[in-house]
Amino acid sequence: MTSMKRRLVVVATMAGVLVSCRTTQTLLPSATDVGSPSRIPDLGPALYAGDRRPAVFPAAWPYKAGRRAVFGAHAMVASDAPLAGDAGIEILRQGGNAVDAAVAVGFALAVVYPEAGNIGGGGYMVIHMADGRAAALDYREIAPLAASRNMYLDAEGNLTDKSIVGPLASGVPGAVAGLTSALAKYGTMPLAKVMAPAIRYAEDGFVVDSAFTRTLSGGAKLLEEFAGKDVFFPGGAPVAPGMRFRQPVLARTLRRIADQGAAGFYRGETAQAIADELRRDGGIITTEDLARYQPVWREPIVSTYRGYTLYTMPPSSSGGVTITETLNILEGYDSLSPFGSARYAHLLGSAYQRAFVDRNSQLADPAFYQVPIAKLTDKQYASRLRANIQPMHATPTADVERDMATLRPEEPAKSSRHEGMETTHYSVVDEAGNAVATTTTLNALFGSGVYVRDAGFFLNDEMDDFAAQPGKANMFGLVQGEANAIQPGKRMLSAMSPTIVLDRDGSLLLVVGSRGGPRIITSTSQVILNVLDQHMILSDAVSAPRLHHQALPDTLRVERNGLEPAVIDSLKAMGYAVGGTTGIGLINAIMKVRGGYEGMSDPRSSGRPVAW
């Protein structure tokens, strides 16, 4: 018997509680449905209209220009899991608005996309209503009350991996509080109704596809350390493609939330289950930590770029400030050089480099640190930064830091330790033009690996987003300053960048965000630049090759085959250390077009928009 046949037999005979065979007559949807980037459906050639221009990519770039995006006349949900998108569209068809749908998508992702969709983590939401109301919701995790500044250092003062793996890595989750708060303030439907699709997916199950199994296999070493192994690796192998996967424990947790609201998570049975799970292995989150958690409504950062208006996320997210500072620097150039040119890469990389210097040293939870938002988002400040960009030469980050009079780490990172594709973003627009951009995360895929066995979900490892050792690199290679040091009750700094862009006439144009650690900032902003400056259609803007510079390490990262060899040679001649990398971010975006909306999920991923 082959190993695959053995796996199917083992899984199919597992008591019938969690997993059962799919019959040939039943064509049920699966978690991601498409399985891999190469299998995303080709909808045919794109249409270019108005000021949209055909894009030109390098010959070796695998994602070709001119591909048609998904179109919807009424509404659109773009996410990493089409089943979650289906949940949002289901709610919209029942008369819900974009916020109702966004909450439905968020809870559905916790079921069908456990690598990053979650109720054990946190996130951010930017809302723009058709009547002009706008808001930013911070439901980032916070450090437990028992957290301490040096909790991740060993006896010799060296940084350990306890901020990444295991029970000490988790911050107090914010996702449930955030989603329920958004619904209460801007939604129109009862919580139980918008959660119904997620509960159905958990109780009745969904069909596993190759992408779901592949992700589990990739996380096997982490997951097998904790209680999740019995759920996701029945019989010792990951649940296999073609099998229906049920999560009855998670379904009961979701029903408690649907019945009781946030209290069904932060108090009572679920809260006790979280505290008990962590206490078994030495964690420090308590029922008091959970009962104290509150999301924070904030004013979005509102900025302009060449006449367009952007609504972005303020701290404790660094995304809005860093994107705004980057675009303010670039706006001072009358026009940007052609896409893919050495000068375009130079100007973009230099702007990111300067914005990330500020990001890494001057941004933190505003409840603990006076963040100079007005200064960092000021166009005059950006003009002073722009003046120090040499026309045809790279500037070493050490010189940029000195010129900007900001933090100079004692031991700069020499290389990035890890560049994963963590987090997940989804964009939602309804028929009335209400829009929601939401980015949510467990940090690393499957978070800390800790699975709450009596509640059915993974817990985050967001404590690594603090400067566990100020001046030294975290798991994303980011070197951050004292402002982001660990303190009890503090929100850790994030790169999540949910963004909504209005056209020059004030109408909705673009809803966009990404996953990918600090590359969230660069990937999100490049899609915006591709649409606004390069006049690309949405599919080209998302498919286009991207680059990344985060100040430290002092390297211009470029997606492999994303620039012509001669362009890379020119950048090296300018003084750049150029490094190749795999995908920079994974985008889910929606763009207003004539007659409706276009949705685009990144071809680097297995996501797919769902339209109505």
Side-chain angles (χ1 to χ4, degrees):
M1 183 183 292
T2 67
S3 61
M4 178 58 73
K5 287 180 179 178
R6 281 197 302 271
R7 179 180 301 174
L8 292 174
V9 169
V10 169
V11 174
T13 57
M14 287 295 297
V17 194
L18 295 178
V19 185
S20 62
C21 284
R22 179 181 67 175
T23 67
T24 55
Q25 290 80 21
T26 306
L27 299 176
L28 296 171
S30 57
T32 54
D33 205 37
V34 288
S36 65
S38 62
R39 292 174 57 195
I40 293 176
D42 185 353
L43 301 177
L47 301 175
Y48 293 87
D51 65 346
R52 299 299 99 186
R53 304 169 187 166
V56 178
F57 301 156
W61 183 242
Y63 310 117
K64 303 306 179 185
R67 154 183 192 180
R68 183 170 297 185
V70 174
F71 175 80
H74 304 284
M76 183 76 66
V77 178
S79 79
D80 284 321
L83 262 187
D86 287 342
I89 293 296
E90 178 180 328
I91 294 303
L92 290 168
R93 286 181 177 273
Q94 292 175 10
N97 68 11
V99 177
D100 297 317
V103 174
V105 172
F107 280 113
L109 284 167
V111 181
V112 303
Y113 203 67
E115 66 184 73
N118 69 82
I119 56 173
Y124 301 94
M125 183 180 291
V126 173
I127 298 169
H128 187 271
M129 305 300 284
D131 61 11
R133 289 177 295 157
L137 180 57
D138 180 338
Y139 51 100
R140 182 66 157 155
E141 302 89 334
I142 62 174
L145 293 173
S148 60
R149 175 188 172 86
N150 297 322
M151 61 187 289
Y152 300 118
L153 306 185
D154 63 18
E156 286 73 42
N158 298 312
L159 188 62
T160 69
D161 69 351
K162 291 181 180 179
S163 66
I164 301 173
V165 177
L168 285 176
S170 299
V172 181
V176 172
L179 292 173
T180 55
S181 181
L183 185 71
K185 189 167 184 177
Y186 288 98
T188 66
M189 286 184 165
L191 179 61
K193 190 166 187 176
V194 300
M195 289 186 66
I199 294 170
R200 186 173 67 245
Y201 293 152
E203 287 184 338
D204 298 343
F206 60 90
V207 175
V208 172
D209 65 5
S210 59
F212 192 91
T213 302
R214 187 168 56 248
T215 303
L216 289 176
S217 298
K221 184 177 180 182
L222 173 66
L223 300 187
E224 289 174 353
E225 292 186 42
F226 304 101
K229 66 178 182 294
D230 295 329
V231 176
F232 294 90
F233 292 80
V239 292
M243 315 305 292
R244 192 192 294 198
F245 181 53
R246 296 185 176 93
Q247 299 170 82
V249 177
L250 178 57
R252 289 195 293 272
T253 297
L254 294 174
R255 282 202 176 276
R256 282 193 292 273
I257 298 168
D259 293 340
Q260 303 170 34
F265 183 89
Y266 292 96
R267 300 178 185 274
E269 187 175 343
T270 302
Q272 192 64 56
I274 295 169
D276 289 347
E277 189 68 48
L278 291 171
R279 187 170 55 250
R280 287 186 183 102
D281 296 318
I284 58 175
I285 293 177
T286 66
T287 54
E288 181 184 0
D289 285 306
L290 291 158
R292 288 166 58 100
Y293 184 87
Q294 292 293 327
V296 180
W297 286 98
R298 305 188 188 277
E299 290 296 321
I301 293 175
V302 183
S303 62
T304 61
Y305 181 75
R306 305 192 194 280
Y308 298 90
T309 301
L310 284 77
Y311 289 82
T312 57
M313 196 69 211
S316 61
S317 170
S318 67
V321 170
T322 311
I323 287 176
T324 298
E325 187 172 330
T326 299
L327 296 186
N328 283 347
I329 292 170
L330 295 173
E331 189 178 31
Y333 299 101
D334 290 339
S335 62
L336 297 182
S337 300
F339 181 85
S341 66
R343 179 165 170 76
Y344 182 73
H346 165 57
L347 295 181
L348 190 56
S350 296
Y352 287 139
Q353 179 189 34
R354 285 151 178 80
F356 267 90
V357 167
D358 277 337
R359 184 257 181 220
N360 295 341
S361 62
Q362 298 197 47
L363 299 181
D365 182 349
F368 288 77
Y369 178 77
Q370 190 171 348
V371 180
I373 295 178
K375 169 195 169 185
L376 299 178
T377 59
D378 180 67
K379 292 184 184 291
Q380 289 302 313
Y381 175 68
S383 71
R384 293 195 292 273
L385 300 183
R386 185 171 54 253
N388 289 327
I389 297 176
Q390 299 301 311
M392 294 300 291
H393 295 284
T395 307
T397 293
D399 293 347
V400 172
E401 289 180 323
R402 186 185 62 245
D403 292 342
M404 294 173 65
T406 58
L407 177 69
R408 174 71 183 275
E410 294 178 2
E411 295 185 31
K414 294 181 180 179
S415 64
S416 182
R417 289 164 55 190
H418 178 65
E419 293 191 349
M421 282 294 182
E422 293 71 14
T423 306
T424 188
H425 174 86
Y426 58 95
S427 298
V428 182
V429 178
D430 66 23
E431 193 167 17
N434 301 307
V436 180
T438 304
T439 313
T440 182
T441 189
L442 291 168
N443 200 24
L445 298 185
F446 303 105
S448 64
V450 174
Y451 183 81
V452 184
R453 68 194 75 190
D454 293 328
F457 58 87
F458 292 98
L459 289 170
N460 66 85
D461 64 331
E462 291 295 355
M463 293 296 285
D464 189 67
D465 274 359
F466 282 117
Q469 195 173 25
K472 293 190 177 180
N474 71 357
M475 70 182 289
F476 297 105
L478 285 170
V479 179
Q480 303 177 93
E482 194 65 38
N484 195 38
I486 300 170
Q487 291 177 260
K490 187 177 185 179
R491 284 169 158 80
M492 59 289 291
L493 191 62
S494 170
M496 289 183 273
S497 307
T499 301
I500 295 173
V501 182
L502 305 186
D503 212 332
R504 288 170 170 152
D505 63 2
S507 62
L508 179 68
L509 176 63
L510 189 64
V511 185
V512 62
S514 184
R515 66 185 286 186
R519 295 171 294 170
I520 292 172
I521 294 168
T522 48
S523 55
T524 299
S525 55
Q526 281 169 79
V527 171
I528 294 169
L529 288 167
N530 289 345
V531 170
L532 304 189
D533 269 326
Q534 303 294 337
H535 301 280
M536 294 184 190
I537 57 174
L538 183 62
S539 61
D540 289 351
V542 174
S543 300
R546 299 194 274 261
L547 57 82
H548 177 75
H549 202 312
Q550 61 183 47
L552 290 174
D554 194 354
T555 304
L556 182 66
R557 296 283 179 185
V558 178
E559 289 184 304
R560 293 186 179 91
N561 298 315
L563 290 176
E564 298 289 2
V567 172
I568 293 177
D569 290 343
S570 296
L571 290 168
K572 290 179 178 178
M574 291 180 187
Y576 281 102
V578 181
T581 185
T582 53
I584 293 175
L586 294 178
I587 294 286
N588 281 296
I590 299 170
M591 185 173 173
K592 185 73 172 72
V593 296
R594 182 176 298 177
Y597 303 102
E598 286 188 341
M600 185 70 184
S601 292
D602 210 304
R604 301 159 181 81
S605 78
S606 58
R608 191 181 66 213
V610 180
W612 171 33

